[in-house]
């Protein structure tokens, strides 16, 4: 199941790199928290997250995450995009422009940490998304 695709954003952003910035933030965060699937080259991702998305991972799908990571991504990715949009609006920038700023990465990682904490607290109260059968 697809969560996001770079091609969805390239027409609205000023460059492929700008279009990939929000996806890079999310993947880098997932990697740092141990929620990224083992087939990813985490060192390459850490070295240049945007380049990694553009060249190596232009689609984010359920297979990109551990089971726990996917459960959160399935529910939390949309919320992440909302956070990003709110902060971009406050900065009078588009979401793509904002995601490409140096301050966005750290702030969005904090927002994702808070969202994950809330997700884990509420996890027992709701059904957790499961992976699709092949």
């Amino acid at each position: 199941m697809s969560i996001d695709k770079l091609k969805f954003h390239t027409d609205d952003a000023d460059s492929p790199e700008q279009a990939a910035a929000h996806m890079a933030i999310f993947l880098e965060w997932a990697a740092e928290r141990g929620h990224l699937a083992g087939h990813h080259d985490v060192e390459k991702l850490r070295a240049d997250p945007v380049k990694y998305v553009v060249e190596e991972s232009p689609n984010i799908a359920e297979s990109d995450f551990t089971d726990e990571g996917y459960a959160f991504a399935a529910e939390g990715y949309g919320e992440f995009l909302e956070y990003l949009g709110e902060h971009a609006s406050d900065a009078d920038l588009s979401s793509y422009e904002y995601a490409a700023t140096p301050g966005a990465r750290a702030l969005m990682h904090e927002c994702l940490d808070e969202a994950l904490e809330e997700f884990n607290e509420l996890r027992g109260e709701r059904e957790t998304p499961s992976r699709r059968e092949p």
Side-chain angles (χ1 to χ4, degrees):
M1 181 171 123
S2 178
I3 295 171
D4 202 354
K5 295 182 178 192
L6 182 60
K7 70 180 184 178
F8 294 160
H9 306 284
T10 54
D11 289 343
D12 296 326
D14 292 337
S15 67
E17 292 77 18
Q18 193 183 69
H22 70 283
M23 295 168 66
I25 289 169
F26 196 87
L27 286 180
E28 180 185 37
W29 173 85
E32 295 301 323
R33 302 315 180 268
H35 296 303
L36 207 56
H39 67 269
H40 284 280
D41 185 338
V42 174
E43 291 308 313
K44 204 174 203 181
L45 172 62
R46 284 182 182 134
D48 191 336
V50 171
K51 182 179 179 182
Y52 185 82
V53 168
V54 172
E55 294 180 2
E56 306 281 336
S57 190
N59 303 314
I60 297 178
E62 68 183 73
S63 62
D64 289 313
F65 302 96
T66 62
D67 288 342
E68 185 178 338
Y70 171 66
F72 175 73
E75 188 172 308
Y77 192 77
E79 191 174 324
F80 158 69
L81 294 178
E82 288 178 25
Y83 289 149
L84 185 67
E86 290 170 11
H87 288 280
S89 180
D90 290 346
D92 202 28
L93 297 170
S94 75
S95 293
Y96 300 112
E97 292 169 319
Y98 181 75
T101 65
R105 185 168 139 200
L107 185 58
M108 289 300 101
H109 282 201
E110 288 177 24
C111 289
L112 285 163
D113 283 339
E114 290 173 15
L116 179 61
E117 186 176 320
E118 183 178 315
F119 174 83
N120 286 333
E121 287 173 3
L122 299 173
R123 196 172 203 169
E125 298 174 19
R126 65 182 166 347
E127 189 175 321
T128 301
S130 59
R131 296 182 185 268
R132 292 183 180 188
E133 293 295 321

